[in-house]
Amino acid sequence: MATEQELSDFLKSVERRAFKRSIYHVRNEEAALDIVQDSMLKLVQHYADKPAAELPMLYQRILSNCTLDWFRRQKSRNALFSSMGDFVGTGEDGTDFDLLEAYCGPDGDNKTESAEDTTRRAQILRGIEAEIAQLPPRQREAFLLRYWEEMDIAETAAAMGCSEGSVKTHCFRAVQTLGKALKAKGIAP
């Protein structure tokens, strides 16, 4: 059974990555924040009595399910209120996640490299993020779980609810697509 401190430490360790992953999926910061918060609450409410070693897999699955639930709610809402966009006011903040604010150098100090290097790195990361966002949803999910969350194939398959072969296929296709797109932009590995 995870202690309260272990649970708190785990949630702190995954919050940024979970938020980033959710933004890739839903492309809306407020919705991504809601999804991450809901998934954290569900983990605490339903699985706080589980061992600390089980928390990462449980959380990834809960986060995936919360994301799918969000898409289902959006689909239902859009079907019922297809013209609600007419009532949305202007002036909403449509700014994207700023990588320059989020990036920290190797020692935690974001002043470890020159402004030119920081800008170049930010531009490259934005290009990579844009290409990841263009991947089909299942490929994007498999890619992010395998390479962003550093899960192995079995863990990724369990989190996605599919076979290990499907994970390998999705990852292979995602890597191929990203490689071609980034090479076309002049971004080499």
Side-chain angles (χ1 to χ4, degrees), residues 10-188:
F10 169 73
L11 292 174
K12 285 178 186 174
S13 72
V14 298
E15 69 181 333
R16 285 191 132 210
R17 291 167 59 154
F19 179 67
K20 191 68 162 182
R21 178 178 161 201
S22 295
I23 285 179
Y24 279 129
H25 285 291
V26 301
R27 298 182 178 117
N28 179 312
E29 285 188 21
E30 290 83 16
L33 185 59
D34 288 343
I35 290 168
V36 171
Q37 289 174 343
D38 287 346
S39 61
M40 287 182 172
L41 283 172
K42 287 180 182 181
L43 179 75
V44 171
Q45 289 172 343
H46 301 289
Y47 301 103
D49 60 337
K50 297 291 184 182
E54 292 182 20
L55 294 178
M57 284 300 297
L58 287 169
Y59 183 71
Q60 293 304 323
R61 191 66 192 159
I62 292 168
L63 184 62
S64 293
N65 287 340
C66 285
T67 303
L68 289 173
D69 290 345
W70 182 85
F71 279 113
R72 288 183 189 118
R73 282 192 304 274
Q74 292 302 308
K75 185 176 180 181
S76 298
R77 193 181 112 217
N78 290 341
L80 293 173
F81 304 106
S82 60
S83 62
M84 284 299 281
D86 298 337
F87 301 105
V88 176
T90 58
E92 290 182 12
D93 186 13
T95 59
D96 292 331
F97 186 78
D98 188 2
L99 288 171
L100 290 175
E101 290 178 7
Y103 174 74
C104 288
D107 60 354
D109 181 16
N110 54 352
K111 295 182 177 143
T112 59
E113 58 186 353
S114 70
E116 181 181 348
D117 291 340
T118 302
T119 303
R120 185 178 303 118
R121 179 186 304 272
Q123 290 171 341
I124 290 170
L125 289 174
R126 281 191 194 115
I128 292 170
E129 284 186 337
E131 293 303 325
I132 290 172
Q134 298 300 317
L135 290 171
R138 293 294 278 181
Q139 286 182 22
R140 183 173 51 241
E141 183 177 16
F143 180 82
L144 291 173
L145 288 173
R146 284 281 290 131
Y147 304 111
W148 182 277
E149 296 295 334
E150 298 177 354
M151 292 182 169
D152 63 26
I153 293 172
E155 291 172 332
T156 304
M160 290 179 64
C162 65
S163 70
E164 291 182 17
S166 293
V167 169
K168 291 176 185 178
T169 301
H170 289 312
C171 285
F172 176 78
R173 289 178 181 165
V175 168
Q176 291 294 91
T177 302
L178 288 172
K180 289 177 186 174
L182 296 175
K183 189 174 182 180
K185 288 184 171 186
I187 300 172

